[in-house]
Amino acid sequence: MESENFIEDIIVKDLETGKVKTIRTRFPPEPNGYLHIGHAKSISINFGIKEKFSGSCNLRFDDTNPTKEDIEYVESIKKDIQWLGYKWDAELYASDYFELMYKCAVSLIKKGLAYVCEFSADEIRQTRGTLIESGRESPYRSRSVEENLELFENMKNGVYPDGSKVLRAKIDMTSPNINMRDPVIYRILRASHHRTGDTWLIYPMYDFAHPIGDAAEGITHSICTLEFENHRPLYDWVVENCDFDKPLPQQIEFARLNIKNTIMSKRYLKKLVDTGFVSGWDDPRMPTISGLRARGYPPEAIREFCARIGVAKANSEVDPGLLDFCVREHLNKYTDRAMAIEKPLKVVIENIAEGESAKFNVANNPNMPESGEHEVILRREIYIDASDFALVPPPKYHRLVEGGMVRLKAAYVLKHKETVLKENGEIDYLICTYISGTEPGGAQSNIKVKGVVQWVAVLDAIDAVLYKYEPILTDVIDGVSDFGDRLNPNSLEVVDGAKVEPYALLGGDEKSFQFMRIGYYKRVPCDGDKPKFGRIVSLKDSYGVKV
Ligand code: ATP
Ligand code: MG
């Protein structure tokens, strides 16, 4: 099997040496918020390995922190993973192992490897030492096994108040790794858990719970982000001392995904939701999976993005343009085209009589001939976009000018005759003529005209509102480190008064379109009288990757 990154190198080696037979991974989200694009990377690594090595991948909710977790988040996480196109083998919860974890803790006590400490959180911090200074041993460290067993059982049975005692692993207060200086592995917490209710009054700490969950499930490669590198010795200590069967799980760290100007922390994203800066976790501007879905990003594009950024051991920042590039590439291949006008300018085509019309066909998607065609109707009065006519054209302007010509997409060449102004000097409407025989396939269709513009007949045009999304964060400002001071007040631009052709309303809420020359748009579900479309991504590629 060809290896594509350092994690796969390890896996291939473990298979070759016979250390493991079946590769088992897991994706372990904490249900304390919605998944974001960073999680998509972890998902694509863990589920990608399962697919590539014919292994398995569990979904394990890391629900050891009952005060922050909620069933709403569990449901959203499951929906997002499925939407990305991945299937987990088993749906599990750290809380499924609370009994096992308790037993492991008791066995550590019996081995003299854990003790009940009565230090407060502050005292534990103060005696932990620093990077250059050893920690100090707790006076409770030398309690007998019997005493520890009794105290721990009392902790479990609710004899002591919250925070009054903890269970600590007895490792080494002089270890150069602070995580090994008698870390807390259990705490007393009277909090109702979303799955176990009030059964437990003590909860395991993440560093104790995680390796036990992995080992219990027979996970072979426990892949996590770099900030856990210093926790690996503790991870190994737990699985080794809790007597699990071999092969023991192996923790491997990779660099988390950072995208420029993109918030990648559930805690902060939750703040945006709670303060009402966005309409919810699935606001189309959010970098959450549900936000990207509402925005119209195809799951295939997100997977492609994760494949392109690869897996590295060193932190770096990815250009958001790469994600847009992947989205655009997918939409260009698969979305239907439709005509829309952002800022309508009326054109009267003099040589089409009132009530007369001509029908034309537009390819739904020139990249996919099997997608067929739809009809557009040309009438005496049409709209073109105001930016497609200029009284005083800038250099290299190829659209309509006074006395000039432009091609109406899929229809005739139009010739300008007269500009009618309002009293205030603004343009009111244009009077033009069409040139017969210039329709596609017509006798004069070869006529040289540089510009092609979209249009829609006044009679058929449907009023619409366009939403254009901009990044939630502004560019980094010198000296400003808090996200809160970088929130972009203009992250949503609303263009009222747009016009779309009727075809844009077919296909329901989920359908995306390329509005020709404007951008990729998706219908925004709403009640109001006018349909709304939100911009998925613009047409212009700022990233500059050649396909
Ligand atoms: P957050 O700080 O946003 O809450 P987290 O790491 O605490 O993120 P978890 O729910 O614990 O979120 O994450 C589940 C898995 O996803 C973990 O293995 C974690 O390492 C991984 N993960 C989280 N954020 C990223 C990221 N930006 N890039 C890659 N993997 C990530
Ligand atoms: Mg976390």
Side-chain angles (χ1 to χ4, degrees):
M1 196 77 72
E2 192 95 345
S3 150
E4 274 168 44
N5 55 55
F6 77 96
I7 299 178
E8 295 187 3
D9 287 346
I10 298 172
I11 291 175
V12 168
K13 200 162 135 258
D14 287 348
L15 285 169
E16 278 170 5
T17 59
K19 182 182 164 196
V20 296
K21 300 223 156 31
T22 309
I23 304 300
R24 295 204 180 87
T25 57
R26 86 287 169 265
F27 174 65
E30 182 179 0
N32 62 347
Y34 282 56
L35 297 181
H36 51 62
I37 179 78
H39 294 109
K41 176 170 179 179
S42 175
I43 291 170
S44 91
I45 294 174
N46 282 296
F47 285 90
I49 287 172
K50 161 197 157 128
E51 288 170 4
K52 180 163 179 177
F53 295 93
S54 309
S56 63
C57 181
N58 290 345
L59 169 60
R60 179 175 351 118
F61 290 99
D62 163 27
D63 57 349
T64 51
N65 208 347
T67 53
K68 294 197 181 133
E69 293 154 9
D70 197 276
I71 191 77
E72 174 198 350
Y73 301 134
V74 168
E75 295 306 325
S76 76
I77 288 170
K78 283 159 59 174
K79 183 171 171 190
D80 289 349
I81 299 173
Q82 283 167 331
W83 178 74
L84 284 172
Y86 294 108
K87 269 206 185 98
W88 52 86
D89 289 83
E91 176 188 333
L92 298 158
Y93 295 78
S95 55
D96 296 339
Y97 307 109
F98 279 171
E99 191 64 43
L100 173 66
M101 290 164 189
Y102 177 74
K103 285 190 178 137
C104 287
V106 169
S107 86
L108 288 179
I109 295 175
K110 286 183 178 159
K111 290 182 184 178
L113 292 177
Y115 62 97
V116 173
C117 181
E118 287 168 43
F119 269 173
S120 65
D122 267 350
E123 285 168 316
I124 290 179
R125 211 172 301 122
Q126 281 155 17
T127 52
R128 194 184 286 140
T130 62
L131 285 174
I132 46 167
E133 226 177 291
S134 287
R136 271 179 288 132
E137 293 190 353
S138 154
Y140 305 102
R141 200 173 199 262
S142 51
R143 288 204 222 256
S144 70
V145 169
E146 290 67 34
E147 195 185 352
N148 279 318
L149 285 174
E150 189 186 330
L151 291 171
F152 187 50
E153 173 141 347
N154 287 344
M155 279 171 64
K156 176 179 174 245
N157 292 336
V159 175
Y160 314 120
D162 287 10
S164 60
K165 290 182 178 49
V166 292
L167 185 71
R168 296 176 73 174
K170 192 171 179 177
I171 310 181
D172 180 4
M173 290 306 290
T174 65
S175 169
N177 184 333
I178 296 181
N179 294 306
M180 298 298 272
R181 295 182 189 166
D182 292 8
V184 173
I185 57 177
Y186 260 97
R187 58 187 171 143
I188 307 173
L189 182 67
R190 283 168 176 77
S192 206
H193 187 280
H194 71 99
R195 282 176 70 82
T196 58
D198 298 321
T199 309
W200 292 90
L201 302 174
I202 52 171
Y203 288 96
M205 304 304 286
Y206 176 86
D207 278 340
F208 185 61
H210 202 77
I212 292 178
D214 282 348
E217 284 164 34
I219 300 304
T220 53
H221 299 83
S222 177
I223 298 160
C224 63
T225 38
L226 271 183
E227 65 272 23
F228 291 99
E229 196 169 21
N230 287 334
H231 297 239
R232 196 188 332 138
L234 178 55
Y235 181 99
D236 291 341
W237 186 92
V238 172
V239 290
E240 274 159 24
N241 288 296
C242 291
D243 303 318
F244 286 102
D245 293 340
K246 302 247 162 26
L248 295 175
Q250 175 186 356
Q251 176 181 306
I252 306 171
E253 309 87 16
F254 69 96
R256 64 194 291 127
L257 169 64
N258 294 309
I259 303 181
K260 190 167 173 246
N261 292 346
T262 305
I263 301 169
M264 213 82 89
S265 137
K266 277 181 279 182
R267 195 174 56 86
Y268 200 85
L269 292 171
K270 183 168 189 309
K271 219 163 157 186
L272 294 181
V273 175
D274 291 345
T275 56
F277 185 82
V278 294
S279 62
W281 286 96
D282 61 352
D283 186 296
R285 292 165 294 174
M286 289 282 268
T288 50
I289 305 294
S290 50
L292 301 178
R293 176 169 60 235
R295 175 86 166 247
Y297 280 30
E300 296 86 351
I302 298 174
R303 289 173 67 141
E304 172 65 19
F305 169 73
C306 291
R308 278 178 184 255
I309 51 178
V311 181
K313 190 91 194 170
N315 280 315
S316 64
E317 204 175 53
V318 175
D319 181 341
L322 177 59
L323 179 55
D324 287 351
F325 170 81
C326 296
V327 171
R328 203 176 280 121
E329 193 183 43
H330 189 275
L331 294 175
N332 183 35
K333 274 188 205 143
Y334 297 107
T335 53
D336 282 4
R337 275 54 174 168
M339 294 205 262
I341 308 288
E342 276 192 76
K343 198 164 180 286
L345 168 61
K346 196 159 90 177
V347 176
V348 177
I349 306 174
E350 231 185 16
N351 50 349
I352 299 182
E354 201 93 45
E356 229 178 63
S357 66
K359 291 177 178 170
F360 299 92
N361 286 322
V362 181
N364 286 333
N365 182 348
N367 294 325
M368 228 172 42
E370 66 274 24
S371 66
E373 299 179 323
H374 68 271
E375 195 172 74
V376 287
I377 302 175
L378 186 70
R379 303 182 194 273
R380 181 178 168 85
E381 291 189 352
I382 63 169
Y383 294 117
I384 63 169
D385 200 90
S387 66
D388 285 332
F389 172 74
L391 269 177
V392 187
K396 294 197 184 148
Y397 187 80
H398 294 315
R399 295 167 263 170
L400 195 60
V401 296
E402 294 222 286
M405 290 192 289
V406 79
R407 176 175 285 285
L408 296 176
K409 175 75 191 173
Y412 299 117
V413 168
L414 198 65
K415 187 166 172 36
H416 175 276
K417 205 172 154 197
E418 191 184 336
T419 307
V420 180
L421 301 179
K422 296 183 201 162
E423 270 176 21
N424 65 6
E426 283 174 15
I427 300 171
D428 192 1
Y429 63 94
L430 306 179
I431 300 174
C432 295
T433 52
Y434 80 88
I435 304 176
S436 70
T438 55
E439 70 278 12
Q444 292 211 66
S445 59
N446 293 336
I447 191 168
K448 287 246 177 313
V449 179
K450 279 197 173 144
V452 182
V453 302
Q454 78 276 22
W455 54 275
V456 49
V458 171
L459 195 69
D460 308 309
I462 292 166
D463 288 326
V465 182
L466 303 184
Y467 286 0
K468 294 180 175 181
Y469 308 113
E470 297 296 335
I472 286 180
L473 290 186
T474 57
D475 276 338
V476 180
I477 307 165
D478 271 350
V480 176
S481 56
D482 190 340
F483 283 150
D485 299 327
R486 280 176 59 199
L487 291 177
N488 177 6
N490 304 315
S491 59
L492 175 63
E493 186 195 337
V494 179
V495 181
D496 203 349
K499 308 277 181 186
V500 299
E501 63 161 306
Y503 186 65
L505 293 192
L506 298 181
D509 280 356
E510 289 310 310
K511 193 165 159 124
S512 303
F513 286 95
Q514 184 198 90
F515 285 158
M516 290 177 210
R517 303 177 64 231
I518 295 186
Y520 293 97
Y521 277 80
K522 177 172 178 287
R523 188 87 174 265
V524 179
C526 66
D527 298 333
D529 47 350
K530 286 186 201 172
K532 297 183 170 60
F533 293 88
R535 185 167 70 186
I536 307 168
V537 68
S538 65
L539 288 176
K540 278 205 198 75
D541 177 14
S542 60
Y543 190 70
V545 182
K546 298 262 183 316
V547 194

